[in-house]
Amino acid sequence: MAQSSLSLFLILSAILISLLCRSVQRGLTVIGVYQGPVVASSAAQRIYAIPDTVHCEDIHYYAPGDILFTACEDSVQQRFRWFPPLALLDGPVETTGSIRIINPQTKVSSQLMFENFPGPFVTHGIDVIQDPDRAEALYIFAVNHLPNPEYSPATEAEAEAPKARSQVEVFHYVLNSSTIRHVRSVRHPLITTPNDLYATSPYSFYVTNDHHYREGFLRELESIPGVKWAKVLHVQLDRLDTDDATAGVNTTVALASDV
């Protein structure tokens, strides 16, 4: 019996060490330890540093307008205090990020001024899709990681409400303009840790939940390669003309891994 227990212990220890080694190796790879310098052999392979693009999480090329769209945090300090995808939940959120356009020819970025949207805006994934009613316009879907107004830090140990309450913002943009109009916010209990977006129409999009847990030990466990507790949700909107983020939001699980 003792020998069996020892064997089981050794097997479990080997599995744990293997997972930890893979996690460490992945981390080192991500930060570039195993990467050497790359020499560009042509102009098409050059790397360009574009000013005024701080912590831009996602970027999309819109072919009809020959333009790049990206969502940027615009603040180094804010990112290291509040960014739920990295389990950084030490708010408050004091800045508003931006949607920017980049000219792929000149490599110059321009910030689009928000209409009807005071923020805050903590950016992550975005997607763009053409307005079916206007050839020169498009919709932009963007993840916004907001603090939860129902969370009470005074009773953190017993709090039931999570610290973050992320949602998706829908914007409308007309090509060659300098402003972007906020259409509505989208919030649903199933949208918990959103990251990337894929829009299929102005009323329909897919969004990933990258983690099941927002913080704590189990949240750290999810960072180990092979531990996949993510979900892909499909969101169908009944309407766009509403100030209620929960109005007409129909959300289903399109793909899920075991938790």
Side-chain angles (χ1 to χ4, degrees):
M1 185 67 179
Q3 186 175 359
S4 299
S5 299
L6 179 61
S7 298
L8 179 60
F9 173 77
L10 292 175
I11 292 173
L12 292 176
S13 298
I15 294 174
L16 180 59
I17 293 173
S18 175
L19 290 174
L20 289 175
C21 288
R22 289 174 59 191
S23 181
V24 171
Q25 183 180 23
R26 177 177 178 272
L28 293 174
T29 301
V30 169
I31 65 176
V33 172
Y34 302 117
Q35 298 177 8
V38 177
V39 179
S41 59
S42 68
Q45 294 178 316
R46 291 175 186 167
I47 297 175
Y48 294 90
I50 301 176
D52 301 322
T53 52
V54 178
H55 290 306
C56 300
E57 279 289 336
D58 202 358
I59 188 168
H60 283 267
Y61 177 66
Y62 187 66
D66 187 27
I67 196 169
L68 294 164
F69 289 87
T70 186
C72 302
E73 186 74 18
D74 294 333
S75 170
V76 175
Q77 294 78 12
Q78 179 68 64
R79 171 56 61 95
F80 292 101
R81 291 198 303 264
W82 177 269
F83 192 61
L86 294 178
L88 299 175
L89 301 163
D90 296 326
V93 178
E94 299 173 338
T95 60
T96 295
S98 64
I99 299 289
R100 293 178 176 270
I101 55 176
I102 301 173
N103 185 318
Q105 309 306 323
T106 64
K107 313 299 186 297
V108 173
S109 74
S110 302
Q111 180 177 345
L112 299 176
M113 297 296 103
F114 289 126
E115 295 180 20
N116 192 36
F117 184 68
F121 182 41
V122 181
T123 68
H124 210 156
I126 66 170
D127 197 16
V128 299
I129 188 170
Q130 186 170 2
D131 184 342
D133 299 321
R134 296 184 64 180
E136 77 284 8
L138 60 141
Y139 286 93
I140 301 175
F141 293 79
V143 170
N144 189 7
H145 293 294
L146 297 176
N148 188 353
E150 298 178 359
Y151 171 76
S152 175
T155 58
E156 180 175 347
E158 301 176 356
E160 295 183 1
K163 294 179 182 179
R165 191 177 72 177
S166 303
Q167 60 189 36
V168 175
E169 310 294 351
V170 184
F171 299 95
H172 189 264
Y173 176 68
V174 179
L175 292 175
N176 300 317
S177 65
S178 60
T179 62
I180 183 171
R181 178 174 59 87
H182 184 246
V183 177
R184 69 162 294 175
S185 300
V186 179
R187 189 169 66 248
H188 190 276
L190 288 179
I191 302 176
T192 55
T193 56
N195 181 331
D196 206 1
L197 293 161
Y198 177 72
T200 57
S201 83
Y203 293 86
S204 171
F205 63 90
Y206 290 88
V207 58
T208 61
N209 272 339
D210 272 8
H211 296 87
H212 180 76
Y213 298 95
R214 291 182 172 91
E215 58 180 327
F217 171 75
L218 291 176
R219 171 64 176 77
E220 294 299 323
L221 185 63
E222 290 187 84
S223 64
I224 298 177
V227 180
K228 300 177 181 179
W229 294 339
K231 288 183 180 179
V232 177
L233 308 175
H234 178 246
V235 180
Q236 183 71 42
L237 304 176
D238 292 342
R239 54 188 298 189
L240 295 178
D241 57 338
T242 178
D243 294 328
D244 184 353
T246 63
V249 181
N250 306 289
T251 303
T252 57
V253 177
L255 181 65
S257 57
D258 294 333
V259 177

